[in-house]
Amino acid sequence: MQEREGGAALAPGEAVLVVGAGAMGRGIALVAASAGHLVFLSDVSEEARRRALTAIAEELDGGVRKGRMSAEEASAIRDRIRAVAEPQSVASQVRLVIEAIVEDLEVKRVLFASLEPLVPPQAILATNTSSLSITAIAAPLARPERVVGMHFFNPPTRMKLVEVVSGLATAPEVAQAIRDTAVRWGKIAVMARSTPGFIVNRVARPFYAEALRVLAEGAADCATLDAIVREAGGFPMGPFELMDLIGHDVNFAVTSSVWSAYFYDKRFQPSLIQQELVWAGRLGRKSGRGFYDYAAGAQRPAAAEAPPCLDRAPSAVAAVGEFGPFSALLERLAAAGVVVHRRPADAGPVRIEAADVWIVPTDGRTATRLAHEYGHADVVVLDWARDWAQTPRAALARADGCAQDSWACALGLLQRAGIAVTPLDDVAGLILARTVAMLANEAADAVLAGIGTPRDIDTAMRYGTNYPLGPLAWGEATGVARIVGLLDRLAELYGEDRYRVSPLLRRHLWNGRPLASGDEGERK
């Protein structure tokens, strides 16, 4: 991502003050010093300052050992970081202040109020808050227009994304200066409007919420659901292992904060399962136990997998209707020696007919509902996958009345294509389909609310969470009609506002324009 013309990025000779020497503060200080700035790292705790300088030195030494920099370069960076006890003592020397202190609105307000009269008139006051309102932080100041969010992700030295967040009073040139500074520091910067969760912490909520709901409904265990999301979806981690890594206290607090900030919108409702883990002190890796056990010698449970049924695989199938992104599965079956007869759509669902069984790509209806609606007992529903040409795993669920022979036929068919099959209980939307649909829906609503452009929202989710695709691009690749149809059926089944379709998704369904547009104006 290139720096925009006319940007006002900080020059390397201008000093930066980072307040708070915890993990985030020291990481931000190292990023700024590596870009050539003199950095004052402030913390009231002498021990925190000492630990921060030690950690910075260790990270620089590691960079030298790995050949990322010379010893001289590491020494120069180290020399540009100076620890101070009182931020007010150096405030007059800096062009940029970045606070990374406790997530408490009043504490941040007091800090900025103490620094505002001391910093130069052109200095910018940036907050690394991940959840508090930029507008609220800036409101008591004499010049709220120079307050902006500069939200780094942990660890700042490795995560590429920075959210540049504007409050109601933030001057456009201030946001632009921070955006250009982040780019100069080697980051990928996105612009966001100050709303609860900004981009990433809002749009990511369904990744956790849908997995927790499917777990609560007994579809499968954590290891099985994680494996599907990871291997079929291409996500670097499944939702349960990621929540264990983040810490359930942190993840639950963020979800609760976004939920309350949006006046208890059902889309962001926290999970009772996660609340129980927090109450029990099972916070994940840092406590030794969460969804998984991290004690020495503990065995990680394996994902459920269907037994081999290759001997039941049919030699020929019929593919009825338009398969869209599932077409690559048909090609994969053909490459495995299965004869695939294509037939036009009829009054039934899009499906693969293999002997007596219908294999239906999930559209939000359960297999049992499909069996009832079409009067065909042997129905199996198939979850979505990121890339059917290469996916190593797929999830299936069968109708309550599906015969065992038909179930074995469906399992064997996918196994013949080299796909490990994971059986789930018959829940609506299975796991990957409902997760992807809800992520795309939330991203569309964020665009509609003016929180960010489609490009910035997809970029934020790719680099802030390491998703394999931005949710809008994924929704477009899947098909807006499929996303809307699945959400409508979930809303019908659950009777909840949680699954309401974003008006922007419906608009794109009707106008046929690209969902993942690079220019916000293109959707008008």
Side-chain angles (χ1 to χ4, degrees), residues 352-367:
I352 297 172
E353 293 183 358
D356 292 330
V357 66
W358 287 5
I359 303 171
V360 181
T362 182
D363 62 3
R365 291 178 287 184
T366 63

Side-chain angles (χ1 to χ4, degrees), residues 20-23 26 41-56 58 83-85:
R26 71 180 183 239
L41 179 57
S42 170
D43 201 291
V44 294
S45 166
E46 182 179 356
E47 177 61 20
R49 298 195 301 272
R50 185 194 64 77
R51 286 198 307 266
L53 293 178
T54 299
I56 288 169
E58 289 174 351
V84 297

